[in-house]
Amino acid sequence: MPRIATGNITLHVQQSGSGPDAILIHGLTGDLSIWFLSRTFAALAETHRVTAYDLRGHGYSDAPAEGYTSLDHARDLLALMDAQGIDRARLVGHSFGAVIAVHAAVLAPDRVEAIVLSDPYFPTLRHLEDVSRWGHWQNFRKEAEDAGVTLSSDTWYDLTTFFDQVKGLDDERLLKFRQAVGLPGLKRVMRLAMTTCGRDSKLDAGLTEAQIASVSRPCLALYGEHSPFLSTADYLAANLPDCRGRLIPGAQHRAPEENAEGFVVAVREFLESLPNPRHPSPAQGVEVFS
């Protein structure tokens, strides 16, 4: 279980394969296992040197009390690239992971070759979306309310309110909430609830509409056909200089889980359409856990 020191934080990292560098970035409250469960890691490792890591506060990475904006995460990503000797990479980010990828491209455009934007919403583009139309949200909202956690369609993005309510549950209601999210989900929520993640994830942290639209690297806006964030998908395709859109059949927000095969095919086709770098990176021997 490799843990890589990147300056002020230690991140859990998995790496395999050889070729152009591809870095996989999961979303909030998740971990790098999404890339193994969906077979994305294995599929891309056939043609790339693939690096997946747990964001700060997630999985087996360190969980500092603060520093959870997309800017903080983007700096972690660039520091990880430095530590691993990765000059340039193709970034595959899901949900908030895609926001991190875009922020990294704004900070260091020469270090990002291309980006797969898997179903992100951006704090600065929140006005485009209405999560009340998302069936998964409505189902989770009912389960959470049965356990005593009140969620509003107007504040679906407010993780601080969510975390604070979960921390305040008594044992009986905490058990009900655990049944709704599963034990791993509960552990992730409780860990993040002790940090500023909820507050920080709402901030644009300097990633404005103008900054998003300035990203000129090739991008794939990859969304589930039933995603709650299709207005953002349209915005990205229309406003980024080199961005194509694609929908994953049958998927909502979590395409890597909901249609793993379709997701992997779309990602591979996009990455394989890019020119090959002149100097492919060799594998560095970081082992993949089973």
Side-chain angles (χ1 to χ4, degrees):
M1 189 184 307
R3 285 167 51 82
I4 307 297
T6 61
N8 63 347
I9 195 168
T10 298
L11 301 174
H12 170 223
V13 180
Q14 300 291 335
Q15 188 181 87
S16 186
S18 62
D21 279 292
I23 302 178
L24 310 181
I25 314 165
H26 67 80
L28 292 180
T29 75
D31 57 46
L32 62 75
S33 66
I34 183 179
W35 307 117
F36 290 87
L37 296 173
S38 65
R39 302 293 298 166
T40 304
F41 190 100
L44 295 187
E46 295 175 5
T47 54
H48 290 73
R49 180 173 71 166
V50 181
T51 303
Y53 71 102
D54 288 327
L55 301 178
R56 61 167 60 203
H58 298 69
Y60 294 104
S61 291
D62 287 351
E66 56 188 17
Y68 290 84
T69 67
S70 59
L71 176 60
D72 296 312
H73 287 294
R75 287 171 172 164
D76 286 346
L77 170 59
L78 294 172
L80 175 61
M81 292 174 65
D82 289 340
Q84 293 294 94
I86 300 173
D87 292 329
R88 299 178 77 232
R90 303 166 174 191
L91 306 181
V92 179
H94 177 65
S95 194
F96 198 69
V99 179
I100 295 166
V102 170
H103 214 141
V106 168
L107 294 178
D110 292 341
R111 304 196 66 183
V112 176
E113 184 181 353
I115 310 173
V116 175
L117 301 162
S118 171
D119 235 277
Y121 80 91
F122 293 80
T124 196
L125 301 178
R126 190 178 297 124
H127 61 280
L128 297 177
E129 305 298 355
D130 177 11
V131 80
S132 65
R133 66 189 179 189
W134 185 17
H136 172 78
W137 164 257
Q138 298 301 337
N139 293 336
F140 178 72
R141 178 180 179 180
K142 183 179 185 306
E143 291 178 334
E145 288 181 348
D146 288 344
V149 178
T150 301
L151 304 173
S152 166
S153 294
D154 294 331
T155 58
W156 58 270
Y157 54 85
D158 188 350
L159 286 177
T160 299
T161 299
F162 174 65
F163 289 154
D164 287 348
Q165 290 186 77
V166 174
K167 285 191 296 184
L169 294 177
D170 57 33
D171 289 344
E172 180 180 356
R173 291 188 172 185
L174 192 61
L175 177 59
K176 288 184 178 180
F177 187 78
R178 170 182 164 179
Q179 291 169 341
V181 302
L183 182 57
L186 177 61
K187 288 182 176 179
R188 289 193 291 264
V189 167
M190 296 304 287
R191 188 184 190 206
L192 289 171
M194 305 306 293
T195 73
T196 60
C197 178
R199 178 197 70 195
D200 292 352
S201 62
K202 295 187 297 183
L203 305 175
D204 66 39
L207 190 60
T208 63
E209 289 192 43
Q211 292 280 26
I212 294 169
S214 74
V215 174
S216 60
R217 298 305 183 195
C219 293
L220 174 65
L222 186 59
Y223 283 72
E225 73 170 317
H226 305 298
S227 169
F229 305 126
L230 293 179
S231 294
T232 299
D234 293 340
Y235 176 92
L236 295 173
N239 288 277
L240 270 64
D242 187 1
C243 183
R244 67 192 78 169
R246 181 162 175 173
L247 299 179
I248 301 298
Q252 297 185 53
H253 177 57
R254 301 192 305 275
E257 301 170 52
E258 295 160 341
N259 184 349
E261 181 178 358
F263 179 84
V264 169
V265 167
V267 173
R268 289 189 67 166
E269 288 182 354
F270 173 69
L271 295 183
E272 289 169 6
S273 74
L274 303 172
N276 284 325
R278 293 183 180 179
H279 303 291
S281 303
Q284 291 190 342
V286 179
E287 305 244 342
V288 177
F289 67 88
S290 59

